[in-house]
Amino acid sequence: WNMTRFHPIAALMEMTTGVVAARTVMLDTEADKKRREEPLIYFAAAYGSLLLRATPYDFNDGLIRSALFVPLYSRFLASLHRDCRSDTPSPFTQLLRSAPMNQLGSLTFSMFLLHAPLAQVFFKKSVASRIFGAPMPRAFFPVYLLVVFLGSQLINEAVIKSDAVQQRAAAAARWLASLTRGMLQDTA
């Protein structure tokens, strides 16, 4: 399944859906900007679509993801963007803009980097057996989440927010930009 899910051609449709959603809000007319959509409806529909996997009908995960979740989540992001720009954002949008949610959002990149390798260490039989003698039991999962959260906080504070790292990243970006004439056109 991972070979299909992460294959560049298979992922192209999902990436294209995101590009279309971003471009759609970029091209909003004044009437579009005034149109109110409740982001919570699309959020609930997107995550609710994942519950179809729990039904006795054994819906295919790839089908649910591609046909329902990704389009609904893209619509959620577009409606959230419009709601953020409105004069009276919905309570759900205000919740997502709150300080605790912003703090949690700042950890997402670190969590993305850490969650899979740590899951391999704790739960993959071939790896965990060498380290711990056996994979961790399901009851260990909350501890795993805590380790991911704390590790993400550490990486965020020590690396991502580091002035030295940010300066090196900016220098690398300037160097890469110097190799193009814009729009990623090579100068050589």
Side-chain angles (χ1 to χ4, degrees):
W1 161 245
N2 278 341
M3 203 162 157
T4 303
R5 181 174 174 210
F6 295 114
H7 191 279
I9 301 300
L12 183 62
M13 290 304 289
E14 291 181 14
M15 292 184 301
T16 303
T17 303
V19 170
V20 169
R23 188 70 179 148
T24 300
V25 295
M26 289 172 65
L27 299 175
D28 273 357
T29 64
E30 288 305 314
D32 292 329
K33 292 176 185 175
K34 292 177 184 173
R35 186 179 67 219
R36 293 295 303 229
E37 292 180 328
E38 175 56 59
L40 180 58
I41 292 170
Y42 297 108
F43 180 83
Y47 282 99
S49 72
L50 299 178
L51 295 176
L52 291 172
R53 291 283 294 133
T55 66
Y57 301 110
D58 194 28
F59 285 102
N60 177 285
D61 189 48
L63 181 63
I64 296 294
R65 180 183 170 85
S66 299
L68 293 174
F69 180 81
V70 170
L72 286 168
Y73 198 79
S74 296
R75 185 69 184 259
F76 157 67
L77 292 175
S79 66
L80 182 66
H81 171 78
R82 290 182 181 122
D83 198 39
C84 281
R85 295 178 52 106
S86 74
D87 294 332
T88 56
S90 72
F92 183 66
T93 300
Q94 292 176 19
L95 169 71
L96 294 178
R97 293 188 337 186
S98 68
M101 293 302 281
N102 275 295
Q103 176 61 27
L104 188 59
S106 71
L107 299 179
T108 56
F109 181 65
S110 303
M111 286 180 172
F112 172 74
L113 294 176
L114 279 182
H115 83 280
L118 288 176
Q120 299 278 324
V121 167
F122 293 129
F123 300 110
K124 185 164 183 160
K125 190 174 188 178
S126 61
V127 178
S129 295
R130 288 185 174 168
I131 298 171
F132 305 110
M136 293 291 134
R138 286 185 181 199
F140 185 78
F141 192 73
V143 175
Y144 159 74
L145 290 178
L146 181 64
V147 170
V148 169
F149 179 78
L150 293 175
S152 298
Q153 184 71 31
L154 180 68
I155 287 176
N156 191 52
E157 295 297 324
V159 179
I160 294 174
K161 288 184 177 179
S162 163
D163 288 338
V165 170
Q166 290 178 4
Q167 289 170 359
R168 287 186 187 133
R174 283 190 298 274
W175 176 74
L176 288 170
S178 73
L179 302 176
T180 67
R181 289 184 292 245
M183 299 299 290
L184 300 179
Q185 297 173 359
D186 293 336
T187 56

